Amino acid sequence: EQVLAPDAGGVVIRAETGRPVQGARVRFVGRDALPSAITAADGRFTLQGQTERRVILAYPIGGVYRDTTGVMASVPGLADAYASADFV
């Protein structure tokens, strides 16, 4: 299976105060079919990833496959915030 978006979790904090943000909507950028998460009182969230079953022909060239996907947090009245979720 190919990982399109990894399981992800983290904490949303307000940059000016360093305090957690409750009620922020967090989602993968460009993966609108996946459910978003709402941060708890401590600012924590968990996003469920997505995989896709594919037949892949592997060639022995060495190295590790790495990828990244974007994550967006939005709160009414504040600017949207973006981060990346890297995975192997």
Side-chain angles (χ1 to χ4, degrees):
E1 292 189 343
Q2 179 184 8
V3 176
L4 301 176
D7 290 339
V11 179
V12 176
I13 59 170
R14 188 160 182 168
E16 296 89 5
T17 64
R19 297 179 57 101
V21 177
Q22 179 179 8
R25 180 176 166 254
V26 182
R27 66 179 181 85
F28 287 112
V29 175
R31 301 276 175 210
D32 296 332
L34 292 177
S36 60
I38 303 297
T39 57
D42 63 358
R44 293 190 182 279
F45 68 91
T46 302
L47 289 172
Q48 183 179 359
Q50 179 184 27
T51 60
E52 179 176 272
R53 190 160 188 91
R54 288 186 178 181
V55 175
I56 299 173
L57 298 176
Y59 293 96
I61 58 173
V64 175
Y65 175 77
R66 300 185 77 181
D67 204 349
T68 188
T69 189
V71 177
M72 183 182 90
S74 58
V75 178
L78 297 175
D80 291 340
Y82 294 87
S84 63
D86 299 322
F87 56 101
V88 177

